[in-house]
Amino acid sequence: MRTLTIRKKITLWFAAALVLLAGLTMVVVMLISNAVIQKGIRDDLVERVEENMDEVEFFSDIRDSDWMDGDDLYMKYQEGYLEIDDDFLNRVNGIYTSLYNSDGTLLYGENPIARESGEYPFVDSQVQRIRADGSRYYIYDRALSGEGLEELWMRGTVSETQGDSQIHTIVRLTLWLVPLLVVLAIIGGYVIAGRFLLPIKQIGEAAESIREGNDLTKRIALGKGEDELHQLANTFDRMFDRLENSFKAEQQFTSDASHELRTPITVILSECEYTLEEPREAEEYVEALEVIERQGRRMSVLIGEMLEFTRLEQNAGRFVKEMVDLSGLCGAVCDDMELVLERGITLKREITPEITVNGNPILLNRLLVNLISNAGRYGRENGHIVVKLEKKEKTVRLSVSDDGIGIEKEQQEKIWNRFYQVDPSHSGTGAGLGLAMVKSIAEFHGGSVSVESSPGCGSTFIFLMNQENGK
């Protein structure tokens, strides 16, 4: 059973249930058919006896009959004659009709169990069931009424087996028709099960194709549908999307890391080889260690920013949104950044109080820190940075301006790319990921970020988002 496919298992269970149901149906049909047929036999018996009651008449003088029929039977009875219609003896549907005296003497007619039924007294208008010769019979008695007929009884007799031929016909039809229907239903169930399970087969084939060919772009794509299998396929497609994105992110991270770490590692190795070629003065060893330290710090910053950026891109769901006091957050960040800004740069702020947004405080903090750090890195010596927060209707506008070197127009679209630097000489230990991260954070909050700049006139970075939903 374990080796069977789901399709075959479903078909086998369906077949077993269908066979059981068909068997029960056959039994019920037999029982109901037999009950119906037996009732029909009893009804025919009653009807036949009731009809024959009109076939017997009494005449005190045979000459009183003005419509004597030569085919009718006239028999002497008490002080007159009985006229019995010629149809009286006709057996209809196995029903025998006989005429009795009240003392049980058979006067006329046929009764195949006359001796056995003689033990049963006459009961008017009641069907009795008796056993005779190993079989069961129905008898039905009626007392005749009318002048000269007071002592006469009419008894009808019919065997229960009268309906056997009908039962046998029903049995024969059931025995070949029901199995045929069962077989057709099983075949239809097998075909339908195959159609219903086709999406599962497609899911398996897609997963196997991805496993064998490492093609993460392949999708199941069942199309429109709201049933459970379509939902399962859509879930797998979303899972494949995440796997593809994770794989691409891993490839991107590996590529970026190998590209960006190559330079500092080369510098470190070259400095080590040069310093170790021959004995050096203490000052030269110090200089070499300073170079190594500087490049090591640059590598540390680079790896940290790359990991943080990757986590933001791949695990955005772990950052929960809440109502954030953006005014307070901007003030706290400005307080902290004032302590680390170098080259005589001063930080000014124009923050509208009590502005709240639906967002993640950690990411919004990172966005502002990156913008201020970028402004400090490219701002002019003894220059100024202005942080401005304001609200117009439901739109919140956060801007960071500097009076530094500015950005050429053709470069303004490129600065949002990873590792792109307008002027590497001003980057210090920066890895070129700050603005790319700012863009991702803005998109996470359903907002946008842009830049207004011209060479030599500084730059203004603008972050816009909806105050209420952050979507």
Side-chain angles (χ1 to χ4, degrees):
M1 189 72 174
R2 294 180 179 178
T3 60
L4 296 177
T5 63
I6 294 179
R7 182 182 185 183
K8 291 180 179 178
K9 289 180 181 179
I10 292 176
T11 304
L12 285 177
W13 281 108
F14 175 70
L18 197 60
V19 169
L20 178 61
L21 181 62
L24 292 175
T25 301
M26 290 177 65
V27 172
V28 172
V29 168
M30 299 298 180
L31 293 176
I32 294 177
S33 298
N34 183 63
V36 171
I37 290 173
Q38 292 302 317
K39 184 178 184 303
I41 292 174
R42 293 193 296 270
D43 291 343
D44 288 346
L45 172 63
V46 172
E47 182 180 359
R48 181 61 179 166
V49 171
E50 295 290 345
E51 289 177 352
N52 281 342
M53 287 184 64
D54 296 330
E55 306 297 333
V56 179
E57 292 186 61
F58 176 79
F59 296 97
S60 57
D61 190 339
I62 196 172
R63 289 175 296 181
D64 294 341
S65 177
D66 298 330
W67 44 273
M68 291 182 58
D69 188 337
D71 295 329
D72 291 345
L73 173 67
Y74 295 86
M75 59 181 298
K76 182 69 177 176
Y77 177 70
Q78 293 183 0
E79 300 300 327
Y81 294 90
L82 293 176
E83 179 189 15
I84 303 175
D85 191 91
D86 60 332
D87 294 332
F88 188 88
L89 286 178
N90 291 345
R91 188 179 66 174
V92 180
N93 295 330
I95 298 173
Y96 297 89
T97 308
S98 49
L99 185 64
Y100 283 87
N101 205 335
S102 59
D103 59 4
T105 302
L106 177 63
L107 300 178
Y108 187 75
E110 293 184 65
N111 186 348
I113 55 169
R115 183 171 58 85
E116 291 85 351
S117 63
E119 301 176 1
Y120 292 85
F122 296 110
V123 181
D124 190 39
S125 301
Q126 181 177 328
V127 178
Q128 302 181 71
R129 188 183 185 201
I130 67 174
R131 178 178 290 276
D133 297 333
S135 300
R136 291 189 178 278
Y137 290 83
Y138 296 114
I139 58 176
Y140 179 71
D141 301 322
R142 281 302 309 274
L144 274 66
S145 60
E147 183 183 355
L149 303 177
E150 293 82 359
E151 301 295 325
L152 296 178
W153 286 83
M154 187 171 293
R155 168 168 285 181
T157 307
V158 64
S159 173
E160 279 189 348
T161 60
Q162 179 62 28
D164 285 353
S165 60
Q166 301 176 42
I167 291 290
H168 292 159
T169 300
I170 294 174
V171 170
R172 285 195 300 271
L173 287 174
T174 304
L175 287 178
W176 72 263
L177 185 59
V178 171
L180 177 62
L181 293 176
V182 169
V183 171
L184 292 177
I186 292 174
I187 294 174
Y190 184 78
V191 174
I192 293 173
R195 291 178 62 86
F196 284 156
L197 295 174
L198 182 60
I200 295 180
K201 182 178 179 182
Q202 291 179 257
I203 292 172
E205 290 175 350
E208 184 67 19
S209 176
I210 292 173
R211 185 188 69 83
E212 292 182 350
N214 294 322
D215 181 12
L216 292 176
T217 62
K218 187 174 180 61
R219 297 293 181 269
I220 301 170
L222 289 184
K224 295 182 179 179
E226 298 296 332
D227 57 65
E228 290 81 357
L229 291 179
H230 279 79
Q231 293 176 10
L232 177 63
N234 292 334
T235 301
F236 270 93
D237 282 341
R238 289 193 295 270
M239 181 189 71
F240 292 148
D241 288 338
R242 293 196 62 182
L243 287 175
E244 182 182 6
N245 292 335
S246 297
F247 185 70
K248 286 181 178 179
E250 182 182 347
Q251 287 182 321
Q252 184 69 45
F253 181 86
T254 303
S255 175
D256 293 342
S258 61
H259 179 269
E260 295 299 321
L261 293 176
R262 184 182 296 114
T263 299
I265 290 176
T266 301
V267 172
I268 291 174
L269 292 176
S270 299
E271 190 67 24
C272 290
E273 290 175 359
Y274 172 75
T275 305
L276 294 174
E277 282 180 356
E278 57 184 49
R280 306 285 179 181
E281 297 292 333
E283 292 80 4
E284 293 180 293
Y285 285 119
V286 171
E287 291 177 1
L289 289 175
E290 288 177 348
V291 172
I292 292 173
E293 181 189 22
R294 185 167 57 252
Q295 296 300 325
R297 289 184 181 277
R298 181 181 177 187
M299 291 171 60
S300 177
V301 171
L302 173 64
I303 292 173
E305 290 190 0
M306 289 175 63
L307 289 174
E308 189 171 359
F309 188 75
T310 300
R311 282 195 292 267
L312 173 61
E313 283 193 327
Q314 297 303 312
N315 299 297
R318 73 185 181 93
F319 294 103
V320 179
K321 292 180 180 179
E322 60 186 64
M323 294 309 298
V324 179
D325 179 5
L326 188 58
S327 298
L329 184 146
C330 290
V333 171
C334 289
D335 290 340
D336 294 339
M337 294 302 294
E338 280 182 328
L339 301 176
V340 298
L341 288 175
E342 301 175 345
R343 299 188 297 121
I345 297 176
T346 58
L347 179 63
K348 297 181 179 181
R349 65 191 80 179
E350 299 176 12
I351 300 174
T352 303
E354 298 182 356
I355 294 181
T356 59
V357 296
N358 185 23
N360 182 270
I362 297 176
L363 295 182
L364 292 173
N365 184 89
R366 170 56 62 184
L367 178 143
L368 185 54
V369 168
N370 284 2
L371 289 178
I372 296 176
S373 297
N374 186 75
R377 189 176 300 119
Y378 292 97
R380 66 179 174 84
E381 190 171 355
N382 298 318
H384 301 83
I385 297 175
V386 179
V387 175
K388 188 175 183 179
L389 176 65
E390 56 187 344
K391 181 183 71 171
K392 185 176 182 180
E393 295 181 352
K394 294 183 179 180
T395 301
V396 174
R397 185 180 189 272
L398 173 63
S399 64
V400 177
S401 304
D402 64 69
D403 49 8
I405 62 174
I407 306 171
E408 296 285 350
K409 188 172 183 60
E410 61 271 12
Q411 293 182 317
Q412 291 181 9
E413 290 297 325
K414 301 177 182 178
I415 61 174
W416 308 109
N417 298 333
R418 290 199 276 190
F419 303 109
Y420 184 80
Q421 296 175 348
V422 175
D423 185 357
S425 64
H426 287 73
S427 64
T429 59
L433 285 173
L435 293 180
M437 188 178 296
V438 167
K439 182 179 180 181
S440 294
I441 294 173
E443 291 174 348
F444 173 82
H445 287 86
S448 63
V449 64
S450 59
V451 63
E452 297 175 357
S453 179
S454 59
C457 296
S459 304
T460 298
F461 289 85
I462 304 167
F463 167 57
L464 300 174
M465 70 171 291
N466 186 284
Q467 181 185 20
E468 293 184 350
N469 51 41
K471 296 179 180 179

